[in-house]
Amino acid sequence: MPRAGSRLGARLQIVPRGVLKRVLSGKRRKPVHPGRILVAHQLLLGDTLMLTPLLARLRRRHPEGEIVLTVSRGQLPLYARRPYGVVAVAYDSRSHQSAKALLELGSFDLAIVPGDSRHAVLAHALGSGWVVALAGDRPGWKNRFADELVPIPSEPIALGDLFALLAGEEDGAAYDPREWPRPECVPFRLPGRDYAVLNVDASSPLRFWPAQRWLQLADALKAAGLEVAFCAGPGEERMVEAIDPGRRHLSYAGILDLPQLWRLLEGARLLVCLDSGVGHLAKLTGTPSVVLYGPGSPALFGPGRFWRDHPYRAVTIPDFPCRDQHGVFKREVNWVMRCTRTLAECPAPACMHAIETDAVVASCRELLG
């Protein structure tokens, strides 16, 4: 018997049920006024936050509908006050108990599957009457579990705006911070005066910026009159120690949960970060942001139309020669220029090393006015 917390146990809960319900569902019709809507995925923090335009559009299109969003357990506190009226539920495809709890939610009239279309099987297991996903996933069997496949546009579009197309055509709406209440957090000591946050970590080492340049930037911002607060996620305290061994600046490395990080960003005059989830969280808090892109794509991961009012600067080296891959969630998209290589393939990220401190300082000065 598979263990209760095993990936196999979770799959045995979901896959046979999803396949059987898909086969037996008969003729299907897209609901005009869905009463229950599921957004099913298992994305990292940054991509999850980029679902915000989708959630906003679903709420505008279906003001009376119940919207349920799957998130990781660690992301739950950000959604505790139900932005856009969304109910967030924890889901981990590796957990038998998580799959069992999700199946107890009952059926849905409409399911939206951003990212990996394998979650369309989950949508069917939950009895979803109509399933919408992005076209072009690989392998092709995943696409057959969607009732409606939305093509990726042939012109550049931000990922948030792309996700929103799963809820219907562009309607021109922009982010309104009043629709996302500040999550409650445990009190902690904030910097005592005007400050900038420098978030130095990311999900891939190929996005890291050299330590000495972070310290040069911190010293320049301090000389401009700002207190500087370094930040990094749990377990990344050594990154900040390597950058600032003399502890000339504040450090919040490894000590903040997501609601506390929201509060730190909300009060900051400026955020400088890598292409990471923290940069997307700053879109919600409205923090002026300078984002460093090496392997990533500013066109894909920038503010786009929905966050068009967000004060933001991208720092990158355009047309870097090895930024030559076109994948978006296993789909080939010609206009996407990015790099998803591993550290074994690229032990020294030349695209990040090419970003000079002066260029970052100049973008900071533009945002600070």
Side-chain angles (χ1 to χ4, degrees), residues 14 17 21 36-38 66 68 89 99-111 122-129:
I14 297 297
R17 185 189 302 251
K21 287 197 172 186
R36 301 192 77 210
I37 303 167
L38 172 70
E66 178 190 6
V68 175
V89 296
K100 181 179 178 182
L102 206 58
L103 290 170
E104 292 172 354
L105 293 177
S107 61
F108 292 85
D109 303 300
L110 171 67
L122 171 65
H124 283 288
L126 288 166
S128 301

Side-chain angles (χ1 to χ4, degrees), residues 93-117:
S93 63
R94 300 164 298 182
S95 166
H96 170 80
Q97 292 297 334
S98 176
K100 181 179 178 182
L102 206 58
L103 290 170
E104 292 172 354
L105 293 177
S107 61
F108 292 85
D109 303 300
L110 171 67
I112 306 292
V113 182
D116 193 326
S117 293

Side-chain angles (χ1 to χ4, degrees), residues 16-30 107-109 120-121 123-131 144-148:
R17 185 189 302 251
V19 173
L20 183 62
K21 287 197 172 186
R22 179 71 176 97
V23 170
L24 298 179
S25 61
K27 188 174 182 179
R28 299 164 65 83
R29 292 184 177 86
K30 185 174 183 178
S107 61
F108 292 85
D109 303 300
V121 180
H124 283 288
L126 288 166
S128 301
W130 190 262
V131 181
R144 292 196 286 272
F145 281 86
D147 299 290
E148 181 180 348

Side-chain angles (χ1 to χ4, degrees), residues 45-46 49-50 199 201 261 265 271-285 287 289-291 293 301 303 307 310 312:
L45 174 64
L49 296 177
M50 292 289 272
N199 194 86
D201 71 337
L261 180 58
L265 294 179
L271 166 70
V272 183
C273 67
L274 308 174
D275 178 17
S276 67
V278 176
H280 300 306
L281 184 61
K283 294 182 175 76
L284 302 181
T285 63
T287 311
S289 303
V290 175
V291 183
Y293 292 93
F301 299 114
W307 280 293
H310 179 58
Y312 159 91

Side-chain angles (χ1 to χ4, degrees), residues 38-52 54-55 68-73 75 79 86-93 98 102 111-120 122-123 126 132 163 166 329:
L38 172 70
V39 180
H41 70 94
Q42 195 169 13
L43 298 169
L44 297 176
L45 174 64
D47 292 336
T48 299
L49 296 177
M50 292 289 272
L51 294 174
T52 304
L54 166 65
L55 302 178
V68 175
L69 171 72
T70 62
V71 298
S72 70
R73 187 165 299 280
Q75 296 166 7
Y79 295 86
V86 167
V87 177
V89 296
Y91 175 59
D92 182 349
S93 63
S98 176
L102 206 58
I112 306 292
V113 182
D116 193 326
S117 293
R118 66 187 172 89
H119 294 294
L122 171 65
L126 288 166
V132 182
F163 283 151
L166 293 167
F329 301 118

Side-chain angles (χ1 to χ4, degrees), residues 1 12 93 124 144 150 153 160 163 186 189 192 200 206 209 243 265 277 282 311 315 321 325 348 368:
M1 291 291 290
L12 290 176
S93 63
H124 283 288
R144 292 196 286 272
V150 176
F163 283 151
V186 175
R189 186 181 296 276
V200 302
L206 293 180
W209 200 39
I243 291 167
L265 294 179
V315 183
Q325 296 175 315
L368 292 169

Side-chain angles (χ1 to χ4, degrees), residues 249-270:
H249 307 283
L250 296 175
S251 174
Y252 289 87
I255 64 174
L256 301 181
D257 59 24
L258 285 176
Q260 289 173 322
L261 180 58
W262 176 300
R263 182 67 186 88
L264 182 68
L265 294 179
E266 186 180 51
R269 289 278 309 280
L270 178 72

